[in-house]
Amino acid sequence: MNNIQNYSDVRFRYVAVGNDVNPNKGNSEYVSSLLPAMRNLHSAVTAAGLGNQIKVLTAIYGGLLGVSFLPSDGAFNDNAREFIEPIIRFLAENNSPMLVNIYTYFAYANANGNSNLPYALFTASGTIVKYNGRQYFNLFDIILDDIYAALASLGGENVEIVVSESGWPSAGDDAATTRNA
């Protein structure tokens, strides 16, 4: 806590623990440590009298969704659900937001030609998807809506989402160009 308390002129609002911890990828060894680390840090922040000022949170990878074909229909994949559900409860209990890294490129690339590029790049004109009375103008909005739905399905209907990363690669694939980035 010294690294926070020694800077009294700085207003810290959040402390993020981990980034893109994913039970399906190479950093899966951190899965079992993430929530205990968040709880430990939350206890330290609270003990320092900063619990109302500083929220402890984590950043997740938007690709943890297993269902994301239709807006408002998102669900975490089975492997991620077991990992993410207690984290969502922790965030909800502590009124902390969830940081989410949303990359439309990966959703576009994983769609195997079932997504149009302008929709992924925010350059499509007009409504691209209409579903359940809602209109979507780009892939980013659908992914964000799906993550809100996935959070709500696990008790996180009041957990706010803060987009912590986004972007587009500039090389490595036909759609990964400097112009598109």
Side-chain angles (χ1 to χ4, degrees), residues 7-178:
Y7 297 95
S8 59
D9 55 333
V10 176
R11 183 170 181 251
F12 292 92
R13 294 182 55 204
Y14 307 109
V15 176
V17 179
N19 183 44
D20 277 349
V21 175
N22 184 346
N24 304 314
K25 297 290 181 188
N27 63 6
S28 61
E29 69 270 18
Y30 302 113
V31 167
S32 62
S33 302
L34 182 60
L35 184 57
M38 291 172 70
R39 286 184 176 139
N40 185 39
L41 194 52
H42 175 73
S43 293
V45 166
T46 301
L50 300 170
N52 291 330
Q53 177 184 333
I54 300 172
K55 301 296 182 181
V56 176
L57 43 80
T58 190
I60 66 164
Y61 166 54
L64 293 180
L65 292 176
V67 174
S68 61
F69 301 110
L70 297 172
S72 301
D73 229 8
F76 292 104
N77 66 50
D78 291 338
N79 198 25
R81 183 185 172 126
E82 184 179 322
F83 153 71
I84 201 72
E85 189 169 12
I87 291 172
I88 293 168
R89 279 196 308 270
F90 171 86
L91 296 173
E93 289 166 5
N94 293 292
N95 197 29
S96 295
M98 170 74 78
L99 297 175
V100 180
N101 301 331
I102 298 177
Y103 290 93
T104 57
Y105 169 78
F106 294 120
Y108 168 80
N110 292 331
N112 297 321
N114 293 326
S115 178
N116 77 41
L117 187 59
Y119 183 58
L121 292 173
F122 298 88
T123 59
S125 59
T127 303
I128 301 299
V129 175
K130 291 181 182 180
Y131 185 72
N132 281 346
R134 294 183 174 150
Q135 297 182 45
Y136 298 88
F137 301 94
N138 57 67
L139 185 55
F140 183 93
D141 289 344
I142 283 187
I143 295 170
L144 183 61
D145 192 51
D146 280 338
I147 294 170
Y148 269 115
L151 287 172
S153 74
L154 298 179
E157 53 277 333
N158 295 322
V159 174
E160 179 186 1
I161 292 174
V162 175
V163 177
S164 47
E165 289 181 17
S166 191
W168 194 273
S170 59
D173 165 295
D174 289 344
T177 66
T178 303

